[in-house]
Amino acid sequence: MEGSESEAVFDSLNVNPQLFINEVFNLVDDLVDDACNHFHQQASTSLKIEGTDRTQDLDKGINVIRKKVQSDIDKRLAMWEQHCHNHFFQVPEGFMLPKSDESPVDTSICQNAICDPDLDAQLDLLRNNLTKVGQESAALNRELQSLEQQSASNDHISALNEISLLYDQNSYHEMFQEMMKTASELRTKIGKLKTRKIEETEHNKADKIYNPHRDPSMMGIGKGFSGAKLEDLQEVLVHLKNS
């Protein structure tokens, strides 16, 4: 690129392409150095070999890795440098810089082209409308959240009422089933007492027939529930009290 037309153009613009490329090379070298130093610190801490003989082995291993990485980077940077010289810092053929005696371009035309009062007014109107829409959207979002909270609260109360109703229904059902069970057991006990009464009555009649000299005052003992066992009577009374 030295002595070429491109170099003359860049020199006139006070631009040094090679200086830019060298600065990129130096930046990459600094990044590689920082990466290797960080790797060395982390490896030394993890392996707990700082201050021991194994530190030299770690240094040798990191140097090998660094040379390999630096070699690959240098090859790629050389290709990148050549690409920059061939494309980025190569001016088209026949390119000419404007002469110093030529009048500069009138920038007032460009400024007038981008300064349109009507367009600015339309933009301001759109900004105001956008602000109003944003405010309305925020208000709608707050109202929606409030409605969602109310709906969740109502659903919670409805669920509690349903649970309470089911609980009451189950309680009544269980109470009815318990009453039916108690009544059935009471009927069974009374039936057993009646059966025992009949048996005792028949037994007394037989005693009267086969033993006519028996004391008549003793024959009334089996009448009613007087002949029942005390445990049976107490059990019947317990059922009656509970029911």
Side-chain angles (χ1 to χ4, degrees):
M1 181 175 169
E2 294 182 359
S4 63
E5 183 179 357
S6 298
E7 183 180 6
V9 171
F10 286 115
D11 288 341
S12 64
L13 297 175
N14 196 20
V15 175
N16 191 340
Q18 190 61 45
L19 180 61
F20 167 76
I21 294 174
N22 293 338
E23 289 180 354
V24 172
F25 287 169
N26 294 333
L27 178 61
V28 173
D29 292 337
D30 293 339
L31 291 175
V32 173
D33 291 339
D34 293 340
C36 291
N37 292 334
H38 179 73
F39 177 69
H40 184 278
Q41 293 177 359
Q42 293 295 323
S44 179
T45 303
S46 300
L47 299 175
K48 298 180 180 180
I49 60 175
E50 188 174 358
T52 63
D53 296 338
R54 298 180 61 187
T55 304
Q56 296 180 356
D57 296 335
L58 178 62
D59 294 339
K60 293 179 180 179
I62 293 177
N63 288 332
V64 172
I65 297 174
R66 180 174 183 173
K67 290 180 180 179
K68 174 61 177 175
V69 173
Q70 190 70 50
S71 176
D72 293 340
I73 292 177
D74 290 342
K75 292 179 181 178
R76 293 181 180 274
L77 286 178
M79 296 171 60
W80 174 77
E81 180 182 8
Q82 187 64 35
H83 183 78
C84 289
H85 286 306
N86 294 336
H87 299 280
F88 300 147
F89 301 119
Q90 186 73 27
V91 298
E93 185 177 356
F95 177 81
M96 296 181 61
L97 291 174
K99 297 180 180 180
S100 58
D101 56 350
E102 293 181 355
S103 60
V105 179
D106 187 6
T107 58
S108 61
I109 300 176
C110 298
Q111 292 178 354
N112 294 331
I114 61 176
C115 296
D116 189 347
D118 294 336
L119 182 60
D120 292 339
Q122 294 179 2
L123 290 175
D124 292 337
L125 180 61
L126 290 175
R127 293 190 187 97
N128 294 332
N129 292 335
L130 183 60
T131 302
K132 292 180 181 179
V133 170
Q135 294 174 352
E136 293 176 356
S137 177
L140 290 175
N141 287 332
R142 289 193 297 268
E143 185 176 357
L144 179 60
Q145 292 177 359
S146 177
L147 291 175
E148 290 177 350
Q149 293 176 357
Q150 293 178 3
S151 176
S153 178
N154 293 333
D155 293 341
H156 181 67
I157 294 174
S158 178
L160 289 177
N161 291 334
E162 292 179 359
I163 293 173
S164 177
L165 180 60
L166 292 174
Y167 176 77
D168 293 340
Q169 290 177 353
N170 292 334
S171 299
Y172 290 144
H173 179 71
E174 292 176 358
M175 185 183 299
F176 179 74
Q177 294 293 332
E178 186 67 24
M179 291 174 64
M180 293 294 294
K181 181 180 178 182
T182 303
S184 177
E185 293 177 354
L186 183 58
R187 284 195 296 269
T188 302
K189 294 295 183 181
I190 292 175
K192 290 181 179 180
L193 291 176
K194 287 182 178 180
T195 301
R196 188 175 298 170
K197 175 189 173 185
I198 294 173
E199 291 176 354
E200 291 180 354
T201 301
E202 295 295 332
H203 180 69
N204 291 334
K205 288 180 180 180
D207 288 343
K208 185 177 180 181
I209 294 172
Y210 294 105
N211 190 7
H213 300 290
R214 185 178 179 182
D215 187 359
S217 61
M218 299 296 294
M219 302 191 55
I221 297 176
K223 295 180 180 180
F225 292 108
S226 60
K229 294 182 180 180
L230 179 60
E231 294 81 359
D232 294 335
L233 293 175
Q234 289 177 347
E235 188 172 357
V236 172
L237 291 174
V238 171
H239 281 289
L240 290 174
K241 289 179 180 180
N242 292 335
S243 59

